[in-house]
Every structure is written in C-alpha cells, then in structure tokens.
Amino acid sequence: MIALIRYCRGYVRISVRGYAPERFMNLCANRAIVLWELNGHDGFYTMCISLSDFFKIRDIVHKTKTRVAVLEKRGLPFFLQDVRHRKMFLLGVFLCSAFLILMSQFIWAMEFDGNRMITEEELKRYLEDEGIRYGTPRHFFSAETLEKGLREAFEEITWASVSLQGTKLVVKIQENILPDTAQKQELSKFENGADLVASCSGTVVSILTRSGIPTVRPGDSVSRGDLLISGRIPVKNDDETVREYLSVVADGDVILETDYRVHLSCPYAYQYKNYTGREKSRKFLAIGSLRVLFPPIRKNFARQDIVTQQNRLCLFGQLDLPIFAGSQTLREYLPVDARYDTDSAKKILLDKFQKIIAALEEKGVQIIQKDVRIVEKADILTLEGSLKIQLQGGVWQALSISDTAKEQETAQN
C-alpha cells in the first residue's frame, strides 16, 4: 500500500556526494524527510526521496556542502508527463479499455456445478433453446426465470441457482438422487402395463414378487425373453371363471444364475513408439474458431504426436474472454517392432480379465465361480474364461394392447 502511494505521488532516486553525506541524512531525518532504499557505495550514497520532499532539501545541500544528482524519476506524475505527447499510445489505451468494457457485456464462459445424472451437453442444449450461448449479452435473460425453467424442464432438478461472475455464467443445481428415481421414470413409460421377462438364459435362484403374477419358481430353467412375472392379473367370478384381466406393471426381484464366458487374446508381436527427442514447438492464439499459429511449421514429421496446451484469457479473475493462448508441441517417434515374452503376455491378459470382473461387480453382479484357461499358440496367447454369476435377471416388456383386448374378449365369452 505504501509503495502504491509513493508511486502515485512520484519519487526520485538520487545520489549524495561530498564532505559529509551522513550529516545530510541526519538533517533530513530531523526535518521528517523520509529516505528509503538507502545504499552505501565507494564515496557516495544512493537513496529514494518523494517528489515533494525533493524540493525541500536545497538548504540542507548548501549547509552540508554536498552534491545531489537525480539518477531516476519514478511514479505516475513522470509517466503522465512522458505519455502526454504520445497520442497513439493514449489512443491505444482508450481503444483497449473500450474493447474490454464492450467484451465484458457478453457471456464468454459457462460453468455447471452439482449435475450428475444430467450431462453438461443437455444443460447447454437447454440454454441454447432459451437463446443463451457464447456471446449472448449479459442482460438478455432473467436469472429467476431461467432457474424456474430449469426446474420445470428437468424432473431431476430440485433446486437451481443461476448467477453471473464477470463474463462467466454459473449454473448450480441440486438433483433428486433417490435410488429409485430412475426406476420410477422407467415404470412411468408403461401406461398399459408390462411383463417382467428374462434378460438372459439361466436358472432361477430366487423370486420375490411385488406386483403381478409369478410364472416361474426357484430351480426353473429359463431362456432369454421367457416370462418371469406376468402383468396381467385375472379377476375371477364366484365360480372361479375369469371375468376380466387387470393390466399392471409387473415388478419383483428375480435372481438368475448363468454362465458368462470371456475370450481374450494378446498377440506376441506388437509395436511401440520410440521417441527420437526431436520436437517442434509453436505458439498459437485462438479467437473463436480462428487459430493463428506462429511461427508456422512448414514441414511436419513423418510420424508424430501433437501435445496441445491452452488457457483462456481471464482478466482480473472475472472477465473470461473468447481468446485462447497456448502452444503445440510436435514430438517425432519411430515405430519399433517388439515381442512380449510369455509372462508379460499372461500378465496383460489377466489384468484385462480382472477389469472385466471389476466392471461386473460394479453393476451388482455376484460371481460364484471362476474358471480360467490360458492357451499358448505360435503367435498369440489366448485366455478362455468361464464365470458362474448371479444377477438381477428381469427386464420390463410392455403389454400388447391387442393381446390384452383378446384376453378380455376371451374372459367375457
């Protein structure tokens, strides 16, 4: 803060020579004249003094018989005096300031927070439908209206907040993360009811029915598409004849046990990139879709990787401009033929196999038994895996309106 005040008021850096420079400094201290950046040299001293105090030391110089010379002039008064006659510089400052003020009236960046089920692309698409995109004026929309529109357009959103931070539009949302939200949305699609059918072939381990009529029992073998729980519930008369059928969405937990086979292969021969160490770098400036490279690279390498780094220009941490600066590095490489040994190839196959198991477990699949066999051939190594798994084996299948009508007609006859 003190340095800023000194710069605004202006100060000079001086040298003091003579018979008694120490007496000069003592007299300045007695008269409350502040000196700073004091440095001693061979036969003289250098220091800084404010512009207003500089005009007060004339009698001190005469009294101490010293010589004072101005080495540097620093501060805003000298800067303004220097640029006063530079009309093009002043014009450039004015145009730059006008450009920044103009650009700060538009939206140049978007940030989304809190979205998990809803992707950023979906949110951006909704904003575009509302006329909000990069380059939209800041005053074009109402934050309150946009917040209400987000809650109405997306059932998952329970709370939304829209704000502007400089030229950045910040959208914060809170989603309804109840575990059965996705299931309820899927069930709402079946207006005329649905059956629960097998998603794969296997053996029924257990069945728990919440709605509908179960058609299988534990121990039954089923094929893909077989009916597990029917969504047609018969309504009977007193004489046990069917009067009509009610259509519901069949629901329940049906655990199936099935075999899951894995086939993986790893050729012994492969290629890898051997980087030669030769690189070419170039800077670029991108404004929107226009990209200017400098210096231009006339000839690229025959085989190369391109590494790009870029940053958006942001002024004062608030004004995001549609200007990107960065660099491109071209790295030359040569393809080299190589071969895996048997142990390395086995490790690669087993790592892939473990990733498949981890992906199945992440989906809630329970692995009961694993059987792995590795076959070695002349030019390739293969892995044959057999897994006995248990999984939630029911999927919904919409009831056919025509079938429902036929059953109603049959029941009436």
Side-chain angles (χ1 to χ4, degrees):
M1 188 64 183
I2 296 177
L4 179 61
I5 295 174
R6 288 173 177 172
Y7 179 84
C8 294
R9 292 181 177 178
Y11 63 95
V12 293
R13 184 168 174 265
I14 62 175
S15 65
V16 180
R17 303 171 183 266
Y19 177 72
E22 293 82 3
R23 187 184 176 200
F24 169 85
M25 290 182 285
N26 289 333
L27 290 176
C28 288
N30 291 335
R31 298 189 183 185
I33 296 176
V34 180
L35 305 174
W36 69 93
E37 294 185 10
L38 182 63
N39 294 306
H41 302 275
D42 188 12
F44 67 97
Y45 289 88
T46 59
M47 63 201 71
C48 293
I49 183 172
S50 66
L51 188 60
S52 59
D53 289 339
F54 178 75
F55 296 104
K56 300 178 183 178
I57 63 174
R58 179 176 298 180
D59 57 336
I60 298 177
V61 172
H62 287 300
K63 185 178 292 186
T64 58
K65 297 181 181 181
T66 53
R67 288 176 296 167
V68 175
V70 177
L71 301 178
E72 292 181 67
K73 299 178 181 179
R74 301 175 182 175
L76 186 61
F78 299 109
F79 175 77
L80 294 177
Q81 184 180 11
D82 185 48
V83 302
R84 184 173 55 185
H85 303 293
R86 299 183 181 181
K87 296 181 181 179
M88 294 305 297
F89 177 80
L90 294 176
L91 178 61
V93 172
F94 172 76
L95 293 178
C96 182
S97 301
F99 172 77
L100 293 178
I101 294 174
L102 177 63
M103 298 298 285
S104 65
Q105 303 305 310
F106 299 89
I107 297 173
W108 298 116
M110 296 182 186
E111 181 179 305
F112 302 96
D113 184 29
N115 57 308
R116 294 186 180 181
M117 294 184 290
I118 305 173
T119 63
E120 290 189 5
E121 288 72 18
E122 291 178 307
L123 293 173
K124 287 182 179 179
R125 195 179 305 117
Y126 170 78
L127 294 177
E128 288 182 359
D129 293 340
E130 296 296 320
I132 301 173
R133 53 181 60 88
Y134 295 121
T136 301
R138 289 162 49 95
H139 60 273
F140 180 78
F141 67 95
S142 168
E144 184 177 352
T145 303
L146 191 58
E147 291 168 357
K148 182 179 178 181
L150 284 168
R151 293 193 297 269
E152 294 177 351
F154 299 94
E155 295 181 357
E156 300 91 341
I157 297 179
T158 58
W159 173 84
S161 173
V162 179
S163 61
L164 280 170
Q165 296 180 3
T167 58
K168 180 187 298 182
L169 179 68
V170 179
V171 179
K172 297 181 180 180
I173 64 174
Q174 177 66 50
E175 296 177 339
N176 181 7
I177 56 175
L178 293 176
D180 59 343
T181 300
Q183 182 177 353
K184 289 181 178 179
Q185 291 179 351
E186 187 173 0
L187 292 177
S188 63
K189 302 176 184 178
F190 304 110
E191 297 179 356
N192 299 311
D195 292 329
L196 199 66
V197 299
S199 60
C200 62
S201 299
T203 303
V204 179
V205 177
S206 64
I207 180 169
L208 174 64
T209 305
R210 284 186 286 268
S211 64
I213 304 296
T215 59
V216 295
R217 296 178 179 180
D220 291 348
S221 297
V222 296
S223 299
R224 183 176 180 178
D226 287 352
L227 183 63
L228 300 178
I229 302 177
S230 175
R232 297 179 177 90
I233 302 177
V235 179
K236 297 182 179 181
N237 297 314
D238 295 337
D239 57 357
E240 296 300 322
T241 60
V242 179
R243 185 177 67 220
E244 61 178 344
Y245 285 91
L246 296 180
S247 298
V248 299
V249 177
D251 189 20
D253 296 328
V254 183
I255 304 299
L256 297 180
E257 183 174 289
T258 184
D259 292 329
Y260 184 88
R261 301 195 176 277
V262 179
H263 178 81
L264 300 173
S265 61
C266 177
Y268 286 113
Y270 72 100
Q271 280 190 345
Y272 70 91
K273 297 179 180 179
N274 182 27
Y275 292 94
T276 63
R278 296 176 59 192
E279 296 183 351
K280 294 181 181 180
S281 297
R282 54 187 174 183
K283 305 291 184 181
F284 68 85
L285 185 67
I287 303 177
S289 59
L290 177 64
R291 175 175 291 188
V292 180
L293 300 170
F294 53 91
I297 297 178
R298 298 180 179 179
K299 187 176 180 180
N300 295 331
F301 297 119
R303 295 180 176 87
Q304 63 185 14
D305 282 340
I306 300 177
V307 181
T308 302
Q309 295 180 338
Q310 68 177 21
N311 295 301
R312 180 191 288 269
L313 181 61
C314 182
L315 298 179
F316 316 117
Q318 294 289 331
L319 302 179
D320 292 275
L321 301 180
I323 302 175
F324 296 86
S327 63
Q328 280 188 349
T329 302
L330 280 61
R331 302 174 60 192
E332 183 188 34
Y333 70 87
L334 297 176
V336 178
D337 294 328
R339 286 184 65 85
Y340 291 118
D341 55 34
T342 304
D343 292 337
S344 299
K346 284 183 179 179
K347 186 177 184 304
I348 292 173
L349 290 177
L350 291 175
D351 289 343
K352 292 181 179 179
F353 185 64
Q354 290 299 325
K355 289 181 180 178
I356 292 175
I357 292 177
L360 291 173
E361 291 177 342
E362 187 176 352
K363 295 178 181 178
V365 175
Q366 184 178 359
I367 299 174
I368 305 301
Q369 182 180 344
K370 292 185 290 186
D371 184 17
V372 179
R373 185 168 63 97
I374 295 179
V375 180
E376 185 176 354
K377 297 182 180 179
D379 56 350
I380 194 171
L381 195 69
T382 60
L383 181 147
E384 301 289 342
S386 177
L387 304 176
K388 190 175 290 294
I389 62 175
Q390 290 183 1
L391 73 161
Q392 187 78 19
V395 294
W396 284 289
Q397 178 177 286
L399 290 175
S400 173
I401 300 178
S402 59
D403 291 343
T404 303
K406 289 180 181 179
E407 289 187 354
Q408 298 285 9
E409 183 179 353
T410 303
Q412 291 175 0
N413 293 334

